[in-house]
Amino acid sequence: MEKPTLPKGTRDFGPAQMAKRQFIFDNIRKVFQKYGFQPLETPAMENLTTLTGKYGEEGDQLLFKILNSGDFLAEVDNEKFVSKNSKLLTFDISEKGLRYDLTVPFARYVVMNRHEITFPFKRYQIQPVWRADRPQKGRYREFYQCDADVVGTDSLLCEADIVLMIQEVFGALGILDYTTKINHRAILSGLAELTGSQNESSLFVAIDKLDKIGEEKVKEELRSRGFEDKGIDAVFSILNFKGTTEEKINFLTTQFANSEKGKKGLTDLQEVLQLLQNYSSTGSTNANAHVEFDISLARGLSYYTGCIFEVKINNVAIGSVSGGGRYDNLTGVFGLPDVSGVGISFGVDRLCDAMEELKAFPEEARISSKVMIAHFDESTFHYSLGVARQLRSRGIATEVYPDQAKLKKQLDYANKKMIPFVIVIGSDEQKSGLLTLKDMQKGAQQQLAIDAIAEALKNN
Amino acid sequence: MEKPTLPKGTRDFGPAQMAKRQFIFDNIRKVFQKYGFQPLETPAMENLTTLTGKYGEEGDQLLFKILNSGDFLAEVDNEKFVSKNSKLLTFDISEKGLRYDLTVPFARYVVMNRHEITFPFKRYQIQPVWRADRPQKGRYREFYQCDADVVGTDSLLCEADIVLMIQEVFGALGILDYTTKINHRAILSGLAELTGSQNESSLFVAIDKLDKIGEEKVKEELRSRGFEDKGIDAVFSILNFKGTTEEKINFLTTQFANSEKGKKGLTDLQEVLQLLQNYSSTGSTNANAHVEFDISLARGLSYYTGCIFEVKINNVAIGSVSGGGRYDNLTGVFGLPDVSGVGISFGVDRLCDAMEELKAFPEEARISSKVMIAHFDESTFHYSLGVARQLRSRGIATEVYPDQAKLKKQLDYANKKMIPFVIVIGSDEQKSGLLTLKDMQKGAQQQLAIDAIAEALKNN
């Protein structure tokens, strides 16, 4: 018999990994809810008409498509069929696909439910997405996204809340050294204006690579795309400007004296920083902490129109772990124009890898019984059930070793499962009611009555 | 532009439904963990070689299959292709499918990781599954399963734990009137022996319909399948026996005097009840409460070999909401024989429907901000941010109305979102620091300092 395998690019998450992932999910969920976001879940399958055309041609090819059920070839036109052309036949034999992100299903949901939804609508969504990408280190065909979006308001308070949520999530996860980069689409447009070229998107695509390929190669690329040296120099005099956020803003204010777009971007940015300042009027931490205005931050600009964000954990060789921004026309493609929104997305897989590297997972990111009960014979086994019930009734995760086995085997099981405490019940213990509580890490043990054991376990 | 729609048989879960579903998931998860079960997640997609042949011919047809990526027709044999035979071509153009249940992926996981797993292995899994069934009321193409299984031990303590977990889950959900039906595969085999027929499975299939079609029709069916009247009478004299669990067991003990299988079933069942009795030695509730030995309980018997369970909520017109049982050879199909296990599955969709009907959802099954801050102008808006930050720092879910709007509009938003409290900040409040806290349900309001407000919200 052939050994079973997993599809390429997919993973099982066993107990140890699950506990770590749930720790991340739970903290993100808690923060989202603390900021007034409410949960949404959409189906894994969407109609292909909903999905295609939203992610560019490459995205369309990366959609996992579901084969129609039943006799899926029956209705296919014969002439078309004999062409044996995969591309041509795809939509005849498949009308559903797996979601590619959480944004398009969210837009679809908003449009379908616009009469019931109270706007501004703040929703979060934590679900897997699927992409038929070539699997490689850190890139999977199934992975989770954790998104929070507000739609139906252009208040910049939403942007400020996103910065704060990032701060709270990283604080809760115990990640201390990170940078929340912020920029604005209109500032990039202002930059493009300075080049005298109309070719905004080429500029953004090139700038986006600055980190990876360096200044010279970016300049080369821009030249090859028809940008003039003078314009390129103007752009880099800005990109290379060093200073505090305030100094950068002052510098750009003079550079953008004639750029309406550039000015708009700066005003928005200053408003967001001001709102964060107001948030900081109380509380111990500075709401502006970790925030860095990065003029070279470009991101996937296809639908962003306002502020954009990206979070990078410092001193860890992992790309950005979170990103987002404002978009002005998310639902337009489904026939509902002018719904402005802003969102943030956390990448759990990268967060998990980074926390692993930083050894940032706390004790509590482990899910196991708190205590296992070991027993010596039929009688102590039966006696242990009453003990287990009392502990469980106090909320203590408890298991009784299910079989009659040597004590060593029972303790081995507890050890391997990282169960921190074991209660050993022999006939003496059963008689006296004083049970042996063993601390598996320290090796220490003491004789205690059940109430005292429950207390000790609760406090530990 | 065409309005977007959802694929047939799939659903969105908006905030109100999500809160209810999360309430159910959280409680089930908590109970699973309290009994020592650890989480597992497997990918949505499995290789078709893993899935096919496990659910019968009908199941194979209900699998959602994923179209291969790229030029999926390129490698298809030409002669085969021109047959235009859907069934024949399916596996040439599709090699993955969506999981149909959580049991087969679990078995696959156990086999693939058998050298790392510590047995007995107690895992729980809460994930959606997909079936290309004809959608109808209460039957969906995507739905969640919540499974807990122990593999690697034949200890009947696992069966007793399942009964207790059911009791704890229903207690936590506030469902009081339900019955946990229990039976044993070997008892059904004993019953079959009494008919003198070798055709066990026909008997089980017929008995399974007793609830739906009644005694006469079941008898008819058995006659048509070649069962003799004498055998049928023997079966029904047992099925119709009324009495307590103890009386039923005594009655069957005499009936099964010559049936090894029947006796084995009764012994197991008695042992499970005895273990529950031992559990009841402490604690306020009887561990045997709600348990009913139902000789006619048959369930999908394809892989069950020992105890079987089914939970029915009484006085609600909804089928069983939970079920499970022991199987002796779950992993055999993947080349790992003799792994005994036992599991339970909760059906969240039906549980949700039942709780809706019983109005059993508590206040806490709602996810919204605890408080919204309303403001009158630019200055009070900015002031409100410091207030929000203080409340959030104490763990209180808080949102600030993001736009400048009339108070009525702000209060409407809070009302529609079921936000229970609103803090109203005008210039007087800003000056004095005494803020107006409005109870949206009672309509009452009071002037309080921020600390007092935080206290009031925490306690409410």
Side-chain angles (χ1 to χ4, degrees):
Chain A
M1 183 170 311
E2 224 176 299
K3 291 241 170 73
T5 59
L6 274 175
K8 247 192 324 183
T10 69
R11 297 163 290 171
D12 290 321
F13 298 108
Q17 290 146 293
M18 275 301 292
K20 289 175 181 167
R21 292 170 68 86
Q22 277 192 15
F23 175 77
I24 296 177
F25 289 137
D26 286 348
N27 275 299
I28 293 176
R29 184 181 294 123
K30 246 185 258 167
V31 171
F32 285 165
Q33 290 182 187
K34 203 165 41 158
Y35 282 75
F37 289 79
Q38 295 180 305
L40 171 71
E41 277 190 14
T42 62
M45 295 186 284
E46 295 275 355
N47 292 320
L48 282 179
T49 48
T50 299
L51 297 176
T52 48
K54 311 302 186 297
Y55 307 107
E57 205 177 313
E58 202 201 326
D60 282 356
Q61 273 166 35
L62 298 184
L63 291 172
F64 278 109
K65 295 165 190 87
I66 312 271
L67 196 59
N68 292 344
S69 301
D71 189 359
F72 54 88
L73 291 175
E75 308 274 295
V76 179
D77 177 74
N78 254 326
E79 217 165 304
K80 206 169 171 188
F81 180 74
V82 295
S83 75
K84 211 184 171 189
N85 181 325
S86 295
K87 239 182 188 162
L88 217 58
L89 287 171
T90 297
F91 296 94
D92 287 318
I93 61 174
S94 163
E95 53 191 31
K96 290 186 288 288
L98 296 181
R99 69 173 163 255
Y100 182 88
D101 69 2
L102 304 179
T103 309
V104 165
F106 173 53
R108 185 218 15 93
Y109 175 83
V110 169
V111 172
M112 281 178 67
N113 297 276
R114 61 182 180 275
H115 300 302
E116 290 78 47
I117 289 174
T118 309
F119 292 97
F121 180 47
K122 304 170 83 168
R123 88 84 174 78
Y124 74 84
Q125 193 167 353
I126 301 180
Q127 289 190 284
V129 302
W130 296 269
R131 297 180 186 179
D133 241 324
R134 193 194 310 267
Q136 49 179 262
K137 192 182 176 305
R139 192 196 282 167
Y140 304 99
R141 292 185 150 191
E142 173 180 71
F143 56 97
Y144 268 79
Q145 293 193 331
C146 303
D147 284 17
D149 290 80
V150 196
V151 292
T153 172
D154 46 21
S155 166
L156 292 164
L157 180 63
C158 307
E159 275 82 344
D161 275 357
I162 283 178
V163 172
L164 280 184
M165 288 200 295
I166 290 169
Q167 199 176 89
E168 289 218 29
V169 166
F170 283 80
L173 297 181
I175 302 175
L176 306 174
D177 190 9
Y178 67 93
T179 304
T180 304
K181 294 182 181 181
I182 181 168
N183 196 10
H184 197 291
R185 219 283 198 194
I187 290 174
L188 287 169
S189 296
L191 215 57
E193 280 180 14
L194 291 181
T195 66
S197 159
Q198 298 298 312
N199 196 349
E200 265 196 2
S201 60
S202 288
L203 179 69
F204 302 156
V205 168
I207 287 179
D208 210 25
K209 298 181 192 160
L210 198 53
D211 264 359
K212 278 189 205 144
I213 64 175
E215 184 170 330
E216 283 317 309
K217 297 246 169 186
V218 171
K219 283 182 173 169
E220 255 173 54
E221 180 170 329
L222 287 173
R223 263 180 234 117
S224 76
R225 299 220 172 241
F227 286 82
E228 288 178 18
D229 279 345
K230 205 180 133 194
I232 296 175
D233 287 346
V235 166
F236 273 91
S237 76
I238 290 175
L239 293 181
N240 287 331
F241 181 85
K242 301 271 175 274
T244 62
T245 291
E246 207 186 325
E247 287 161 352
K248 283 180 190 167
I249 288 173
N250 289 337
F251 175 68
L252 279 180
T253 304
T254 59
Q255 301 287 313
F256 287 163
N258 298 315
S259 164
E260 287 313 310
K261 282 186 184 169
K263 277 191 254 181
K264 159 75 173 150
L266 285 176
T267 312
D268 276 8
L269 191 65
Q270 282 172 301
E271 168 77 9
V272 172
L273 296 170
Q274 181 56 48
L275 289 167
L276 287 170
Q277 202 69 50
N278 288 105
Y279 263 129
S280 307
S281 67
T282 63
S284 51
T285 49
N286 180 354
N288 275 311
H290 303 282
V291 177
E292 182 190 309
F293 171 27
D294 181 353
I295 314 170
S296 73
L297 176 65
R299 282 189 67 75
L301 269 152
S302 50
Y303 59 79
Y304 291 125
T305 52
C307 280
I308 46 180
F309 308 95
E310 204 165 277
V311 186
K312 176 90 187 63
I313 300 177
N314 299 319
N315 305 313
V316 172
I318 281 166
S320 70
V321 290
S322 177
R326 179 171 289 277
Y327 38 82
D328 271 345
N329 198 15
L330 188 67
T331 55
V333 48
F334 295 120
L336 183 66
D338 302 325
V339 176
S340 183
V342 56
I344 185 76
S345 181
F346 289 91
V348 170
D349 295 288
R350 284 188 179 175
L351 270 175
C352 214
D353 289 350
M355 288 181 67
E356 206 71 82
E357 200 174 318
L358 294 167
K359 299 195 196 322
F361 284 110
E363 277 286 291
E364 57 187 294
R366 187 199 286 167
I367 297 170
S368 76
S369 297
K370 185 82 172 208
V371 62
M372 186 196 84
I373 307 182
H375 38 82
F376 285 91
D377 52 26
E378 187 78 18
S379 165
T380 49
F381 170 64
H382 280 280
Y383 175 79
S384 68
L385 302 188
V387 176
R389 192 135 198 254
Q390 282 194 56
L391 295 175
R392 284 176 185 152
S393 75
R394 298 180 202 198
I396 298 164
T398 307
E399 59 190 290
V400 175
Y401 192 82
D403 298 300
Q404 309 286 337
K406 290 212 170 122
L407 183 62
K408 187 178 173 312
K409 189 174 179 190
Q410 300 183 51
L411 293 179
D412 269 0
Y413 170 88
N415 253 331
K416 281 190 192 147
K417 290 223 159 168
M418 313 269 270
I419 298 173
F421 293 94
V422 170
I423 296 172
V424 183
I425 305 185
S427 54
D428 288 351
E429 282 85 356
Q430 183 176 350
K431 251 176 255 160
S432 69
L434 284 176
L435 313 179
T436 303
L437 178 67
K438 206 174 155 68
D439 183 324
M440 296 300 279
Q441 255 178 318
K442 297 186 189 147
Q445 59 183 55
Q446 44 185 332
Q447 307 272 116
L448 293 170
I450 176 86
D451 283 337
I453 287 182
E455 269 314 291
L457 292 174
K458 280 233 128 183
N459 298 330
N460 210 298
Chain B
M1 183 168 314
E2 224 175 300
K3 290 244 170 72
T5 58
L6 274 175
K8 248 194 322 186
T10 70
R11 297 162 291 170
D12 289 321
F13 298 108
Q17 290 145 294
M18 275 301 292
K20 288 174 181 169
R21 292 170 68 86
Q22 277 192 17
F23 176 78
I24 296 176
F25 288 137
D26 286 349
N27 275 299
I28 292 175
R29 184 180 294 122
K30 244 184 260 168
V31 171
F32 284 166
Q33 290 182 187
K34 206 175 15 168
Y35 281 76
F37 289 79
Q38 295 180 305
L40 171 71
E41 277 190 15
T42 62
M45 295 185 283
E46 294 276 356
N47 292 319
L48 282 178
T49 47
T50 299
L51 297 175
T52 48
K54 311 301 185 298
Y55 306 107
E57 206 177 316
E58 201 201 329
D60 282 355
Q61 275 165 35
L62 298 185
L63 290 172
F64 278 110
K65 294 163 192 89
I66 313 271
L67 196 58
N68 292 345
S69 300
D71 188 359
F72 55 88
L73 290 174
E75 309 274 295
V76 179
D77 177 74
N78 253 326
E79 216 165 305
K80 207 169 172 186
F81 181 74
V82 296
S83 75
K84 212 182 170 190
N85 182 324
S86 296
K87 237 180 191 167
L88 217 58
L89 287 170
T90 296
F91 297 93
D92 287 319
I93 61 174
S94 162
E95 53 193 30
K96 290 186 288 289
L98 296 180
R99 68 174 162 254
Y100 182 87
D101 69 2
L102 302 179
T103 309
V104 166
F106 173 54
R108 191 232 352 109
Y109 175 84
V110 169
V111 172
M112 281 178 67
N113 298 276
R114 62 181 179 275
H115 301 302
E116 290 78 46
I117 290 173
T118 310
F119 292 97
F121 180 46
K122 303 170 84 166
R123 88 84 174 80
Y124 74 84
Q125 193 167 353
I126 300 180
Q127 289 190 283
V129 302
W130 295 270
R131 297 180 186 179
D133 241 323
R134 194 194 310 267
Q136 50 179 264
K137 191 180 176 304
R139 191 196 283 167
Y140 305 100
R141 292 185 151 191
E142 172 180 71
F143 57 95
Y144 268 79
Q145 293 193 332
C146 303
D147 284 17
D149 290 81
V150 196
V151 292
T153 172
D154 47 20
S155 166
L156 292 164
L157 179 64
C158 306
E159 275 82 344
D161 275 358
I162 282 178
V163 172
L164 280 185
M165 288 200 294
I166 290 168
Q167 200 176 88
E168 289 218 29
V169 165
F170 282 81
L173 296 181
I175 302 174
L176 307 173
D177 190 9
Y178 66 93
T179 304
T180 304
K181 294 182 180 181
I182 182 168
N183 197 7
H184 197 291
R185 218 281 197 194
I187 290 174
L188 288 169
S189 296
L191 215 59
E193 281 181 14
L194 292 181
T195 66
S197 159
Q198 298 299 310
N199 196 349
E200 265 195 4
S201 60
S202 289
L203 178 69
F204 301 157
V205 168
I207 287 179
D208 210 24
K209 299 182 191 159
L210 198 53
D211 264 1
K212 278 189 205 142
I213 63 176
E215 183 169 332
E216 282 318 308
K217 297 246 168 185
V218 171
K219 283 182 173 168
E220 255 173 52
E221 179 171 329
L222 287 173
R223 263 179 234 117
S224 77
R225 300 222 169 238
F227 285 83
E228 288 179 19
D229 280 345
K230 207 179 131 194
I232 296 176
D233 287 346
V235 166
F236 275 90
S237 77
I238 291 176
L239 292 182
N240 288 330
F241 181 85
K242 301 271 175 274
T244 63
T245 292
E246 206 186 327
E247 286 161 353
K248 283 180 189 167
I249 289 174
N250 289 339
F251 175 68
L252 278 181
T253 305
T254 58
Q255 301 287 313
F256 287 162
N258 298 315
S259 164
E260 287 314 309
K261 284 187 183 169
K263 275 191 253 181
K264 158 76 173 148
L266 285 175
T267 311
D268 276 7
L269 190 65
Q270 281 172 300
E271 168 77 8
V272 172
L273 296 170
Q274 181 56 49
L275 289 167
L276 287 170
Q277 202 68 50
N278 288 104
Y279 264 128
S280 308
S281 67
T282 64
S284 52
T285 50
N286 181 354
N288 276 312
H290 303 279
V291 177
E292 183 189 309
F293 171 27
D294 180 352
I295 314 171
S296 72
L297 176 66
R299 283 189 66 76
L301 270 151
S302 52
Y303 59 78
Y304 291 125
T305 50
C307 281
I308 46 180
F309 307 95
E310 204 165 275
V311 186
K312 176 91 187 60
I313 300 176
N314 299 320
N315 305 313
V316 172
I318 283 168
S320 70
V321 290
S322 177
R326 180 171 289 276
Y327 38 82
D328 271 344
N329 199 14
L330 189 68
T331 55
V333 47
F334 295 120
L336 182 67
D338 302 324
V339 176
S340 182
V342 57
I344 185 76
S345 182
F346 290 91
V348 171
D349 294 289
R350 284 188 179 175
L351 269 175
C352 215
D353 288 350
M355 287 181 67
E356 205 72 79
E357 199 175 320
L358 293 167
K359 299 195 196 321
F361 283 111
E363 277 287 291
E364 58 186 293
R366 187 200 286 166
I367 297 170
S368 76
S369 296
K370 186 82 172 208
V371 63
M372 185 197 83
I373 307 183
H375 39 80
F376 285 94
D377 52 26
E378 186 78 17
S379 166
T380 48
F381 170 64
H382 280 280
Y383 176 79
S384 68
L385 302 188
V387 176
R389 193 135 199 256
Q390 282 193 56
L391 296 175
R392 285 178 185 151
S393 75
R394 298 180 203 198
I396 297 165
T398 307
E399 58 189 293
V400 176
Y401 191 82
D403 298 300
Q404 308 286 337
K406 290 210 169 126
L407 184 61
K408 187 178 175 310
K409 190 173 177 191
Q410 300 184 52
L411 294 178
D412 269 1
Y413 170 88
N415 253 333
K416 281 191 192 146
K417 288 223 158 165
M418 313 268 271
I419 299 173
F421 293 95
V422 170
I423 297 173
V424 183
I425 305 186
S427 54
D428 289 351
E429 281 85 357
Q430 184 175 350
K431 250 177 255 159
S432 69
L434 284 177
L435 313 179
T436 303
L437 179 66
K438 204 173 156 67
D439 183 323
M440 296 299 280
Q441 254 178 319
K442 297 186 191 147
Q445 60 182 57
Q446 46 183 333
Q447 307 272 117
L448 293 172
I450 176 84
D451 282 337
I453 287 183
E455 269 315 291
L457 292 174
K458 279 233 129 182
N459 297 330
N460 210 298

